[in-house]
Structures are given as C-alpha cells and as structure tokens.
Amino acid sequence: MDLFSSIDLGPVQDRISELSKLIDHYNYEYYMNDRSLISDFEFDALLRELVDLERQYPELASPNSPSKRVGGEINKSFRQVTHRFPMLSLGNTYSIEEIEEFEARTRRLIGEVPFTYTCELKYDGVAIGLTYRHGQLVQAVTRGNGAVGDDITSNARTIKTIPLRLRGEYPDDFEARGEVVYPFEAFNQMNAQREVDGLEPFANPRNAASGSLKLQDSSECAKRKLMFCMYFMMLPDGEMRPAYETHSGRLDSAASMGFKVQPHIKECKDINEIKAFIDYWDTERWNLPYAVDGIVIKVNQTPLWDQLGMTAKSPRWAIAYKFKAQQASTPLESVSFQVGRTGVVTPVANLTPVWLGGTTVRRATLNNADFIASLDIREGDHLLVEKGGEIIPKIVGVDMQYRQPNARPIAYAATCPECGAALVRAEGETGYYCPNRELCPPQRVGMLEHFVSRKAMDIDSLGTERLELLYNSGLVRTVADLYDLRAEQLIGLGVEGQATIQAKGADNILSAISKSKEVPFERVLFALGIRLVGEVGAKKLARYFSNIDALMQASIEEIAQVDDMGEKTAIIIHDYFANPDHLLLIERLRAAGLQFVAEDRTISSRLAGLTFVVSGVFSSFSREEVKAHIESHGGKVSSSLSSKTSYLLAGEKMGPEKLKKAEKLGIKIISEQEYLDMVGQE
Ligand code: IVH
C-alpha cells in the first residue's frame, strides 16, 4: 500500500482554504477598497503559514493561491498564445468632428431602436486579456499583434487588482480585457530607485508597465505595484444573461466579481453629452493618479454590436477620441545647470510660470547641449511647452514669432555649479559632465547612495534623505566613515522642522551597517563604484582575482584578461587602484571588517596549472558556469588563444576562426564530455 495515501490531508486542505480565503479577503479590501483590516504583521503571519503549508504539501497548492501574488516563477521566454478572440484595436481620432460623424453614422445604422453610449477613460498602458474558467484565472496574454500574444500568466498573478478567483456570480468561461497601468506615484518611486541602482530609468509609465510584464522573474514583477483596470468583457456564445446585455451592465457585474473597473464611466444619450464628457476629462485627467490619453465611446447595448459589425480592423460600435497634447508658449527667463549623482550636467529652462494641463509649469528640462542646439534655443526666446499623456512637461520648440534679431545662443556652463570644476564633454556623448567625482557634493552623495544600494552593500535603513543629512552634517564624507558612526552622533540628527533620528532609528542604521560587513567580496567590489564596473564586471573580477590585493597589484594587461573586460575598463580599474586616496579608503574598509577575499569555491585542484579557452555552446552548463567550474577545480580561464593556452574547450556552434587558430598553435581541442572526464564528473 502506498504509505502516503493513508495520511488524511483533509485538515491541511481545510486550513489552506481558510488561509487563502482570509488573505484573499484582506487583499481585496486593501487593494480595491483602500481598507486595512489587519496589521502588516498579522497579514504576513497568515501568508507565511500558507506558504509553509504549500511548500510542505505542494499537491495541495492551487495555481491561484494568494501566495502566488509574491511571484517566484521564472520565465525563460514567454510562450506565444493565439487569442481565442482576436484583440482588436479601435478606430481613433483627435478630431471632435470625426466623433460627431461617428455618432451620426451609428444613429443612422441603428435606426429606430432606442440606445445609448458609454463614455469612459482610455487608459495609457498595456492591453491584456485574462481568461477565467469556473471562476479561476487560467491565462493572461498580452495583446501582441492582436492575433498572437505572450503568455504572461505568472507575472499577471502578482498584480493585486487582478482577481485570481472570482466572487459572487460569474460566467463559466469568459475573457476579461483591460489595461495594465503604472500609477504615477509608484512609477516615480521605482524610477528614482533605478537611478540610485545605476539602471536606466524608464521613459514613461507605459514603457515601464510593458517592461514589467516581460520580467523573467515574477517576484520582481510583484514589486512593481502595477494596476489592472478592466474595460471589456468578452463572452462566448451561450454565456449571455440579461445583466450582460449592456456594456455598463457587464462592467457592473465585473466589479461584483472582484475586478477593478473604472469609476468614471458615464452613460450618454447624445452627442452633446459625449462632448461634455470629453471636455470635462480633457482638463480633469491631470488629477488622476495614472495616465489617460483619451476617451472611449461605445454603444452600450451589446446586441447592437453584431448589427453594426466591423470595418477591416475595428468594430463599428466604438471609437476612441485621443486628447491632444496641451501646449503653451512662455518666455525663457534663464537656464540653470544641475549636476546629477553621476556627474552628468543637465540644463534646465527657468520659464515665466504658465498654466498647463492643470498645473503651473515653471521649469522644464533642456536635456543636454545637443538638445539645445537641435531646437536652436536662444536667449530671450519664448518656448513651446507641451504636456502629453504624461505628467512631465516637455519643451518641444521655439515660438519664433518672439525671436529677437541677433538673439544670442545659450551660453553653456563651463564649470560645475556645485564644485567649480571645469566640465568635460566625452567624445561621442550628448552632454557635459563634471569630472570631479571625488569632491563634487552631489556626486559624493551619489557614491554613498550607490554604496548602500540593494545590489551593493544593501544598507536599507539609509535612504537618500538620510545620506544627505549625514553628508551635510559632515559625519560621513566617504563610505568608510559609515563604519565609524556611533549612536550618539546619529540621535537627534535631522533637518529643522522635520523628524529627527531617534534611538531606535540609530540602532537600525548601525545594525544594518554592521550587517553589511558580511556582504561577499564581489558586491563590495561593485559597491566601490569604480567607473564601468557594474554588477557583472565586479563578479568576474572577484572570481578571477579572488582577493583585493591580487586585483590591486594586477597590470592593465592582466585585468584585460578577465572575460569581457575591455582595455578601456582595465585602464580605469588600474587607475583607480593607483590613487592613494582609494588605497587609504580600502584599508579603512578592510580594517572595519568588510569582505575583501572571495569565498573559497575550490572543489579540487585537478586543473591546477592549466589554462582554458572556452568557446561555443554547452549542453550541461551556461558559458559562465563552465568558467566557474574550471576555476573551482583550480584551472584558469582566458579569453583569447595564445601559446599559454593548455586546452580549447569546444562547445557546439564554435566559430571556425577559433578552431583554425587553435590548430595552428597546436593547442589541444577537447569536447564537453572530454572535459567532464578530465575533472572526473558525470
Ligand atoms: S475597448 C473591442 N476601452 O485603447 C474594444 N480600450 O484601440 C476593445 N484602451 O487597444 C477596446 N482604455 O488597449 C477599450 N476603456 C477602454 C480602453 C481601451 C484603453 C486601449 C486598448 C485598445 C486601445 C484602443
């Protein structure tokens, strides 16, 4: 008899169901109704209990368990799925006249039957379709080309406003369509963090939403605070009931199933009501917490949809009106220059304040020297400022009617406004930067931010504000100063009129700093902020040199031997360690107890004294893994073939050039299997 089948899993199953229901309920109240019914601590305890039970009894874990909200699944690539119902787009227009024509045509085609329209917001995000069967979310697919999209189900499960299991009454089988948007507040927070982490910020919330849905690790997507707004219910034949005979009725039903549907939908009976709705939202949209780029007008009575039919690409029963970007012309009073955390200098236009899209615009970025040149902005010009679907106003041109004869070009700053250093323009780059990394205040704070960031030393109790506080108070000028901090220096620290650091806060800061002493060498190396040494580069250097002393003593040629480390980077690294200030810094960090030696990953010394060049694709390892494997057995890996190479380890699809060169140099070529035999591994 199967031993396990005799264990009664009933009580476990019951507890899992109970926990799931409770968590679903608290999530719903929190994300849909803005109501916190229990403390974070209690909520986490419930979730942890559920996760533990599901880990212990995986056969009882449902794919729609609320534990899936935190993600954890990895998508190597996204499966392509054919939409059951093609995902159509709507005809769209910027012209009110065309909306009038749409309305008149619709009325003519429908004839005598009474009907209405719904007007609703057109979200500026990413369209997705969610399939529900028996009340369970089974699949989430992006629009793709309308016929075929990407299966993003595991990422969609992490979006709190997407119900995983429906409540109340629902059709047995249907598709919910809507838009995934990135609310401004969450978007701005995420972008600010990206800059601190040295990552390229997203251009706008739509791109960020789209990028987030394509993240390979769904737990990363879970952190993104995306929102789903449902705007359409696609019903197969046979699922019809009276409530679904109007579009507004379908959305009301969807809301009772647990979907977030927009509250700003309005039933309109004629063109005047439609126009009033459009007018209202043309300005009111700026007060919404997410981007809206137009209004969608649909015939409300769904049985009329079939009667109206389709044009080649889009339904005849709906149309989208797109808001025009709002524009204003205002005098340029002056240009100031801002130095960012990385030293890049950004020119900013100081404008005569002008009312635009619900806010007063006083300043707008001029991006860089090339931007100013390409728009030919001169002193005394009036500039055209535009606000499109996003919140940040853009300079789009010069209002030439105000151009003064002999207007002088903008004088670009020659020195850094923060530290006075002469600005530098790197060849081929669009802007200037301040080269004084070591002494320029915003750059110093930037270095501190980088040092404490998550992927570096991960000292999360020190945010930007606190770092600025520590820097401005003179307590922390270099990263090594962090390790000398004492509680009595921190307590009471603060900006006038704002909260100061209390004993508990000081304690948290000091314990996070102290904990960072365990961070492995590769991340310490990354944290140093050596130019062009990113997370991956630091890892490679740490693996190759094993400790800081070997790296500090290495020549440019030796550093350039490290995989993918170009000559330019090698010179920068070498220069970094030639600077006595840096050597002092490293000695202080070492004395503080930071890790400057890589963890020993040695498994054997079978390959000691041998140098390998690795090329091609392998069946049991990635390229990085092969290299790590060779090193863990005491071998060395080099990127180019030379007389010092002992073996060329050849995978599949290796280039013929390498092969030829190896043969010419008389280097022994071995296959993956021969290599595994060599280290004595299956
Ligand atoms: S209805 C068949 N309603 O705008 C009708 N679309 O071309 C399906 N969109 O691709 C669309 N907000 O991604 C509809 N309230 C809304 C919308 C909306 C945004 C997007 C959708 C569609 C495009 C219109």
Side-chain angles (χ1 to χ4, degrees):
M1 198 183 90
D2 179 352
L3 187 65
F4 292 101
S5 61
S6 65
I7 297 175
D8 179 13
L9 291 178
V12 183
Q13 177 71 77
D14 289 348
R15 182 63 185 153
I16 287 184
S17 306
E18 186 182 8
L19 285 166
S20 302
K21 277 209 190 97
L22 277 172
I23 296 169
D24 274 340
H25 175 65
Y26 294 134
N27 264 335
Y28 180 83
E29 289 297 331
Y30 186 80
Y31 290 102
M32 300 287 179
N33 298 333
D34 267 342
R35 265 205 299 260
S36 237
L37 299 183
I38 54 169
S39 70
D40 287 1
F41 179 78
E42 290 167 296
F43 183 87
D44 289 344
L46 294 175
L47 188 61
R48 207 166 327 113
E49 186 184 345
L50 177 64
V51 169
D52 286 348
L53 282 178
E54 289 179 343
R55 200 170 290 145
Q56 228 176 319
Y57 304 96
E59 67 277 27
L60 300 181
S62 147
N64 284 328
S65 159
S67 63
K68 296 292 186 288
R69 294 271 192 221
V70 293
E73 271 144 90
I74 305 292
N75 295 285
K76 280 256 151 48
S77 62
F78 294 92
R79 198 167 59 94
Q80 296 262 297
V81 185
T82 304
H83 291 290
R84 176 151 63 136
F85 314 103
M87 270 180 94
L88 303 171
S89 62
L90 299 179
N92 66 57
T93 176
Y94 287 95
S95 127
I96 285 288
E97 290 71 44
E98 283 186 34
I99 298 297
E100 287 169 346
E101 283 163 25
F102 161 83
E103 198 281 328
R105 185 173 57 240
T106 310
R107 218 169 348 106
R108 200 175 55 244
L109 288 172
I110 292 177
E112 295 298 297
V113 193
F115 73 99
T116 54
Y117 300 94
T118 55
C119 287
E120 56 192 271
L121 306 179
K122 182 174 179 319
Y123 300 102
D124 193 8
V126 182
I128 63 169
L130 306 170
T131 303
Y132 287 84
R133 290 213 185 93
H134 317 304
Q136 299 278 334
L137 173 69
V138 292
Q139 191 174 62
V141 184
T142 61
R143 178 196 161 85
N145 63 8
V148 178
D150 290 325
D151 180 342
I152 47 134
T153 313
S154 54
N155 282 343
R157 284 203 170 100
T158 69
I159 300 176
K160 313 295 185 297
T161 36
I162 292 183
L164 302 180
R165 304 183 239 226
L166 302 178
R167 348 171 106 216
E169 283 192 44
Y170 42 79
D172 200 42
D173 178 5
F174 73 103
E175 196 177 318
R177 290 193 178 163
E179 205 90 346
V180 173
V181 295
Y182 215 135
F184 290 129
E185 195 184 331
F187 168 77
N188 290 333
Q189 265 173 18
M190 180 265 318
N191 248 0
Q193 184 61 42
R194 279 178 81 81
E195 286 197 63
V196 171
D197 290 344
L199 299 168
E200 186 76 17
F202 285 104
N204 56 49
R206 186 187 345 95
N207 289 2
S210 167
S212 304
L213 291 178
K214 297 290 181 59
L215 282 166
Q216 294 201 332
D217 179 351
S218 62
S219 62
E220 285 298 313
C221 186
K223 293 180 195 147
R224 292 283 175 95
K225 298 191 184 148
L226 298 167
M227 187 173 98
F228 174 75
C229 295
M230 177 173 169
Y231 54 61
F232 194 63
M233 187 193 283
M234 193 86 205
L235 283 175
D237 295 341
E239 291 283 11
M240 204 53 170
R241 39 183 114 177
Y244 304 157
E245 286 184 1
T246 58
H247 170 64
S248 53
R250 289 185 184 188
L251 292 190
D252 287 344
S253 310
S256 69
M257 295 172 206
F259 287 99
K260 188 163 190 106
V261 292
Q262 55 174 308
H264 308 298
I265 181 165
K266 183 167 190 289
E267 194 172 349
C268 295
K269 56 182 188 308
D270 58 31
I271 185 68
N272 291 330
E273 289 188 5
I274 295 174
K275 287 206 279 198
F277 189 86
I278 291 178
D279 271 355
Y280 176 76
W281 283 106
D282 197 2
T283 46
E284 199 49 33
R285 67 181 152 137
W286 302 110
N287 295 325
L288 291 166
Y290 40 75
V292 159
D293 63 349
I295 297 295
V296 176
I297 303 139
K298 299 170 186 162
V299 168
N300 195 25
Q301 287 67 25
T302 61
L304 294 174
W305 293 357
D306 281 344
Q307 184 187 326
L308 289 163
M310 299 268 307
T311 67
K313 279 191 304 210
S314 44
R316 269 204 200 88
W317 44 265
I319 192 164
Y321 172 80
K322 300 250 283 184
F323 293 127
K324 287 185 245 339
Q326 298 198 334
Q327 214 181 58
S329 165
T330 187
L332 168 66
E333 293 183 350
S334 63
V335 175
S336 43
F337 294 86
Q338 275 180 356
V339 194
R341 303 276 190 240
T342 55
V344 172
V345 173
T346 307
V348 178
N350 299 307
L351 305 162
T352 300
V354 60
W355 184 250
L356 181 67
T359 47
T360 305
V361 180
R362 294 187 168 80
R363 290 154 67 77
T365 180
L366 291 168
N367 301 304
N368 53 49
D370 276 5
F371 182 82
I372 295 177
S374 70
L375 293 185
D376 186 25
I377 298 173
R378 311 261 183 106
E379 283 182 7
D381 274 350
H382 286 220
L383 300 185
L384 297 170
V385 198
E386 204 172 275
K387 220 164 162 186
E390 288 120 32
I391 222 154
I392 298 163
K394 277 192 296 210
I395 302 285
V396 292
V398 174
D399 194 350
M400 288 306 279
Q401 58 175 317
Y402 297 104
R403 166 67 55 87
Q404 299 296 317
N406 308 322
R408 284 184 304 183
I410 302 293
Y412 211 84
T415 55
C416 172
E418 295 278 348
C419 72
L423 299 183
V424 178
R425 185 172 196 168
E427 211 178 310
E429 288 183 10
T430 46
Y432 289 82
Y433 71 91
C434 167
N436 192 14
R437 264 163 72 87
E438 306 292 334
L439 294 172
C440 181
Q443 296 194 67
R444 304 239 20 171
V445 177
M447 299 252 261
L448 295 173
E449 279 179 327
H450 170 75
F451 187 81
V452 303
S453 65
R454 201 162 41 87
K455 290 184 172 157
M457 305 306 280
D458 195 19
I459 307 177
D460 62 358
S461 48
L462 287 180
T464 300
E465 268 173 44
R466 283 187 169 172
L467 288 175
E468 277 172 353
L469 204 58
L470 289 172
Y471 183 83
N472 293 333
S473 67
L475 277 175
V476 175
R477 287 293 159 116
T478 74
V479 298
D481 296 337
L482 289 170
Y483 295 89
D484 293 339
L485 284 174
R486 294 186 312 275
E488 63 268 26
Q489 295 174 306
L490 294 171
I491 295 172
L493 211 58
V495 183
E496 231 187 83
Q498 284 177 21
T500 54
I501 299 178
Q502 307 289 309
K504 184 150 188 319
D507 227 36
N508 284 344
I509 294 174
L510 293 180
S511 69
I513 292 176
S514 173
K515 193 155 177 285
S516 76
K517 295 178 188 171
E518 291 157 26
V519 164
F521 175 45
E522 58 193 43
R523 275 171 51 198
V524 177
L525 201 50
F526 171 59
L528 290 178
I530 306 171
R531 224 152 58 80
L532 301 189
V533 177
E535 211 190 330
V536 178
K539 218 176 247 177
K540 289 180 175 170
L541 287 167
R543 196 183 288 154
Y544 191 92
F545 290 102
S546 312
N547 62 66
I548 195 87
D549 295 300
L551 175 58
M552 287 198 295
Q553 283 149 22
S555 65
I556 294 174
E557 292 70 33
E558 263 177 292
I559 301 173
Q561 279 293 306
V562 179
D563 197 27
D564 293 338
M565 205 62 63
E567 167 102 7
K568 189 171 151 197
T569 317
I571 293 174
I572 288 172
I573 297 169
H574 190 261
D575 285 356
Y576 180 91
F577 291 112
N579 181 331
D581 289 342
H582 295 153
L583 300 184
L584 196 67
L585 181 84
I586 287 164
E587 285 326 312
R588 285 184 62 198
L589 292 175
R590 198 200 303 254
L594 269 63
Q595 304 297 318
F596 281 109
V597 177
E599 279 162 33
D600 189 8
R601 299 180 204 217
T602 317
I603 298 169
S604 83
S605 53
R606 286 212 179 94
L607 307 178
L610 300 176
T611 302
F612 291 76
V613 169
V614 181
S615 183
V617 184
F618 299 88
S619 59
S620 37
F621 309 95
S622 73
R623 274 281 276 287
E624 282 309 312
E625 284 165 352
V626 188
K627 290 178 187 168
H629 197 262
I630 294 173
E631 284 160 3
S632 69
H633 287 280
K636 273 202 158 187
V637 181
S638 161
S639 58
S640 56
L641 290 162
S642 73
S643 56
K644 289 191 201 137
T645 314
S646 327
Y647 293 100
L648 170 62
L649 173 49
E652 275 175 48
K653 299 189 190 146
M654 190 181 76
E657 290 301 313
K658 269 234 160 88
L659 201 63
K660 241 193 253 160
K661 186 163 178 203
E663 278 165 359
K664 207 167 119 203
L665 290 169
I667 293 165
K668 190 154 193 272
I669 302 164
I670 57 168
S671 68
E672 183 174 355
Q673 191 53 53
E674 285 169 302
Y675 166 76
L676 289 173
D677 292 343
M678 194 183 245
V679 287
Q681 196 173 323
E682 293 272 303

